[in-house]
Amino acid sequence: MIRSENLRSGYIQDDVEQYLYGLLPERDGVITEMERYAEEHRVPIIGPAVARLLALFAQVSGAKRIFEMGSAIGYSTIWLARAAGPKGKVHYTDGDPANAKRASEYFRRAGVAKRINVGVGNALELIKKTPGKFDLIFNDVDKHQYPDALRVALPKLRRGALFITDNTLWSGKAARPAAPDDAATLGVQEFNRLVFASKELYPVLIPLRDGVTVCRKL
Ligand SMILES: C[S@@+](CC[C@H](N)C(=O)[O-])C[C@H]1O[C@@H](n2cnc3c(N)ncnc32)[C@H](O)[C@@H]1O
């Protein structure tokens, strides 16, 4: 696989995207198997290009306490757990128990199960109930929930922490007028307005794959 259909950007030219994915080093057995599973079952994972960005930010910031909102089969969770190192703790959350079961098995096989807390339920509620603040929060829930995800995540970020959100260009639809019933695009657009207007955040929107917004809590 160079770049599978479930990872297609929607606004990056195909040959440029193929080139970008072609540069990426091979992944290990478990990660490769998860990429294949995601492709076959159309699980919308971040894929290896965005995963490397996520891991890089976790590493350079030294993040140890990490909360993930919307984890699916745990692909991004494993990248975060590996980047956080043996002293890290990553909170996996997903509303689907079957996803959590599959993810837990991958965590065991990837050798990072001890670093991950598996939470099943609404990530926006689970983050409120989890004590303390986080060094990094990764947001990948359903897109209509993005403005609410921002509201619950903000008070859970320590000063200097990173708040990273995937799909902020939403196949390019974020840049165009949305139909009134397109709740996902409207959610992403509102989210983008809110983070760039916030006095508590320093955001950068990186047009990698489907758009990734990285914010630092001021
Ligand atoms: C885009 S996928 C996550 C992919 C994952 N971050 C990765 O890259 O490997 C979104 C997942 O979030 C879950 N989800 C959506 N909204 C949620 C919510 N409010 N609480 C918990 N899980 C949610 C969905 O069930 C789905 O599995």
Side-chain angles (χ1 to χ4, degrees), residues 44-46 70-72 75-76 94-95 99 121-124 140-142 145:
I45 59 169
I46 54 173
S71 306
Y75 179 83
S76 46
D94 204 90
N99 275 345
N122 184 348
L124 281 65
D140 199 9
V141 292
D142 289 346
Q145 301 177 41

Side-chain angles (χ1 to χ4, degrees), residues 44 69-72 93-95 99 122-124 139-150 165-167 170 183-185 187-188 191:
M69 306 166 79
S71 306
T93 61
D94 204 90
N99 275 345
N122 184 348
L124 281 65
N139 169 33
D140 199 9
V141 292
D142 289 346
K143 310 312 149 191
H144 68 279
Q145 301 177 41
Y146 270 19
D148 286 335
L150 170 65
T165 297
D166 194 33
N167 310 107
W170 200 227
T185 303
V188 170
F191 173 89

Side-chain angles (χ1 to χ4, degrees), residues 28-73:
D28 70 18
V30 181
I31 291 286
T32 303
E33 191 183 316
M34 293 173 90
E35 289 173 2
R36 286 211 192 98
Y37 179 87
E39 182 180 3
E40 278 166 32
H41 296 84
R42 304 199 67 81
V43 181
I45 59 169
I46 54 173
V50 173
R52 289 177 69 86
L53 184 78
L54 207 54
L56 180 70
F57 275 112
Q59 281 163 10
V60 296
S61 68
K64 297 286 172 235
R65 290 205 79 222
I66 298 177
F67 198 99
E68 181 176 54
M69 306 166 79
S71 306
I73 59 169

